Amino acid sequence: MKIKAINGFKDILPEEAVRWRFMEEKARDIFGRFGAREIRLPILEKTELFARSIGEATDIVEKEMYTFADKGITMRPEGTASLLRAFIEHGLHVQQPVQRLYTIGPMFRHERPQKGRLRQFHQMDVEVIGAPEPAVDAELMAMGRMLLDELGISASLEINSLGCPDCRPGFRSRLIGFLENRRHRLCQDCRRRIDTNPLRVLDCKKPDCRAQVQEAPSILDALCDPCRDHFAAVCRGLEALGVDHGVNRFMVRGLDYYTRTTFEFITGDLGAQAAIGAGGRYDGLIEQLGGPALPGIGFAMGMERLALLMEQQETPLPRPATDLFVAALGEKAAAYAFPLVHELRRLGLSAAMDHSGRSLKAQMKQAGRTRANYTLIIGDNELEQQEAILRDMATRKQESVALQTDAAEQAHLLALRVRQNVIVHP
RNA sequence: GUGAGCGUAGCUCAGCUGGUGGUAGCACCGGGUUGUGGCCUCGGAGGUCGUGGGUUCAAGUCCCAUCGCUCACCCCA
């Protein structure tokens, strides 16, 4: 019986990995432009970290974590908790008043896999710690938008405010009162949600629930003055930066730690998975985790979802190419080519040759397959006359080049000849 | 945790109400081109029809079980 990867865990094969690399390089580039520095974090953390940050009663903590119960450790289901733990542990706030950090890597949740949702999935996570200003909220969303733009992905941005510990509890109880009155008109799930997570009812997709909820009190009307001012300033900031967005008063978060600004990048092209990136402000969380009383805001992009969209929208990718393929015919020629290819590689070129003594036709085919820009053809005739044929694969033009006895010298000459014409394929 | 659908070559799939002999395309290898890739053409290799059981003279096809995958609910990036 063949051993296969386990359910919800996927291999990213070479062809697909090209897309992933492009995505990661774009992200690192753009995060860097916004002053974010990379932080690399462990995959395993104490279980308690996630219970305290994400929330004991959330689905993630209650039933989706990969936990080694006997050791009290868990494979991270998201990045923010780990990042903040590291931030607090190493006292990063004393270095700079505002820290912008990003991390990229795998996360783990034991859910049933479906389109755009795996058990091991990957996120790109950006967090800004120490800045309460609404301008930062707008800046972060603008950064997310820029990344999507440069990845060729179109999505809409929805924003909302969840208020703060001063104003949310009041809204929450008003909402519960409203929902209780209409309990009988809500779906089974929403009836349960009234007790577990009443705000979540606002986000139910069932038409009947949506209709009921239209009449519900709006959190935006219930915000305290500071939260109201903050939200207004966020909207102005987005407008100043030309970032299109819509206000969605029904949007909520699945994690407990969010305050004030929340946002999601939404697409209709991924089946049931609409959110490709989401985040928000978490002003009390760092203190709650035993750190300094600093505000924070961050968001995560789901990389599998981005990759699916890039594929659908046919985002052009840089394809790897070979600078020079050496086609050697016969043992003597192969013996000459062997160190030559090595020297070419030492000089920084990508070079390849065949080791199985195949026909020239087969080797040319191989050269084409490896996307070689040039092929150097060396046979017995060429060795005898100390001249090889250099073929430009795109133009099919050939020229002869003098053969040197020394491989390093030969490689150097070829590199000079071939490099100036190396094309970076779009 | 719940529901539905699907398992035929490395990939994408054909195979009608069960009827000798398992399709095709892509990819791979070779020939046409005795030393020149992409196009064309000819050929080759590649399959326990997911697995086990049952019905039948006969099962890729029908039934049952099992495993796997996919999508959706839930939840979320």
Side-chain angles (χ1 to χ4, degrees):
Chain A
M1 190 140 84
K2 270 191 275 188
I3 297 177
K4 306 203 306 182
I6 61 182
N7 191 222
F9 290 69
K10 275 239 166 64
D11 302 308
I12 298 169
L13 300 177
E15 208 174 315
E16 179 66 5
V18 171
R19 199 190 320 278
W20 279 68
R21 261 184 75 150
F22 178 75
M23 169 166 59
E24 286 168 16
E25 281 166 12
K26 266 288 175 233
R28 289 173 193 284
D29 174 23
I30 290 171
F31 296 164
R33 291 185 225 166
F34 280 78
R37 298 184 298 161
E38 185 180 14
I39 181 167
R40 299 199 182 203
L41 302 163
I43 284 165
L44 288 169
E45 296 276 0
K46 296 230 173 78
T47 304
E48 188 195 354
L49 172 67
F50 303 117
R52 274 171 55 187
S53 60
I54 298 169
E56 294 274 8
T58 58
D59 277 19
I60 294 178
V61 171
E62 242 172 30
K63 53 195 187 198
E64 295 174 0
M65 296 205 301
Y66 282 92
T67 294
F68 300 86
D70 55 327
K71 301 189 176 65
I73 58 181
T74 291
M75 294 168 80
R76 61 181 185 191
E78 57 111 36
T80 303
S82 302
L83 190 143
L84 295 182
R85 190 229 80 228
F87 176 90
I88 294 165
E89 180 172 341
H90 301 101
L92 296 185
H93 61 289
V94 301
Q95 293 179 8
Q96 290 175 18
V98 177
Q99 290 270 350
R100 295 161 178 248
L101 298 166
Y102 76 86
T103 192
I104 297 175
M107 309 293 163
F108 304 84
R109 292 183 200 171
H110 191 98
E111 305 178 270
R112 287 292 287 272
Q114 62 191 68
K115 189 180 179 70
R117 192 173 82 181
L118 296 175
R119 289 181 172 172
Q120 175 178 334
F121 61 104
H122 300 76
Q123 289 189 336
M124 306 189 289
D125 215 320
V126 187
E127 313 286 343
V128 181
I129 301 164
E133 297 84 5
V136 173
D137 304 31
E139 204 180 16
L140 203 59
M141 287 181 247
M143 185 182 74
R145 164 66 76 206
M146 191 179 292
L147 176 58
L148 293 174
D149 284 346
E150 295 199 17
L151 292 178
I153 294 169
S154 59
S156 58
L157 171 63
E158 295 189 353
I159 68 171
N160 193 19
S161 176
L162 294 183
C164 67
D166 286 341
C167 51
R168 183 154 39 164
F171 171 74
R172 192 184 144 101
S173 45
R174 273 176 59 202
L175 180 65
I176 291 173
F178 171 87
L179 294 172
E180 287 290 2
N181 285 335
R182 310 186 176 217
R183 174 179 280 272
H184 58 286
R185 286 186 236 166
L186 298 171
C187 70
Q188 283 300 327
D189 286 325
C190 283
R191 289 178 199 178
R192 178 175 46 77
R193 285 175 185 135
I194 295 175
D195 304 314
T196 58
N197 184 0
L199 270 61
R200 185 67 184 70
V201 178
L202 298 174
D203 205 26
C204 186
K205 288 170 201 124
K206 296 209 170 66
D208 289 350
C209 295
R210 295 188 87 128
Q212 292 304 315
V213 147
Q214 289 303 318
E215 307 294 319
S218 169
I219 180 126
L220 294 174
D221 297 331
L223 296 178
C224 60
D225 288 346
C227 284
R228 188 192 312 275
D229 291 347
H230 185 94
F231 187 66
V234 171
C235 293
R236 285 199 304 274
L238 288 172
E239 275 146 33
L241 298 180
V243 178
D244 289 338
H245 63 280
V247 174
N248 176 3
R249 67 188 178 97
F250 298 125
M251 187 178 71
V252 299
R253 307 275 62 208
L255 289 65
D256 283 353
Y257 53 63
Y258 287 106
T259 57
R260 290 193 168 172
T261 313
T262 58
F263 58 96
E264 285 182 4
F265 289 98
I266 307 276
T267 176
D269 301 331
L270 278 184
Q273 267 57 244
I276 57 178
R281 190 163 269 286
Y282 45 84
D283 287 344
L285 179 59
I286 295 165
E287 192 172 14
Q288 185 191 315
L289 289 174
L294 290 172
I297 180 169
F299 78 98
M301 292 274 195
M303 296 175 74
E304 278 77 8
R305 295 179 185 182
L306 295 181
L308 283 169
L309 289 170
M310 286 169 70
E311 191 180 1
Q312 276 180 29
Q313 295 173 19
E314 293 177 342
T315 303
L317 298 173
R319 309 304 309 188
T322 301
D323 294 317
L324 181 65
F325 187 92
V326 180
L329 301 167
E331 280 178 32
K332 272 187 176 170
Y336 178 86
F338 190 51
L340 171 61
V341 167
H342 185 66
E343 292 300 328
L344 285 164
R345 291 169 176 161
R346 282 166 63 95
L347 293 174
L349 300 197
S350 58
M353 68 176 288
D354 168 68
H355 295 295
S356 62
R358 307 208 295 158
S359 69
L360 179 58
K361 177 177 175 152
Q363 292 196 51
M364 291 304 293
K365 199 173 172 185
Q366 198 176 337
R369 191 164 37 216
T370 58
R371 302 172 58 84
N373 292 316
Y374 288 90
T375 300
L376 186 72
I377 301 165
I378 309 172
D380 290 341
N381 301 342
E382 285 77 13
L383 275 182
E384 219 168 274
Q385 293 160 26
Q386 296 291 294
E387 264 192 358
I389 298 164
L390 184 67
R391 178 180 176 86
D392 182 322
M393 296 299 277
T395 66
R396 318 181 74 160
K397 290 204 175 105
Q398 305 194 152
E399 63 189 270
S400 58
V401 295
L403 283 181
Q404 314 296 314
T405 29
D406 182 60
E409 199 179 326
Q410 179 72 73
H412 191 71
L413 289 171
L414 280 169
L416 286 175
R417 171 67 188 80
V418 150
R419 230 179 208 158
Q420 57 191 331
N421 288 324
V422 169
I423 306 153
V424 180
H425 289 274

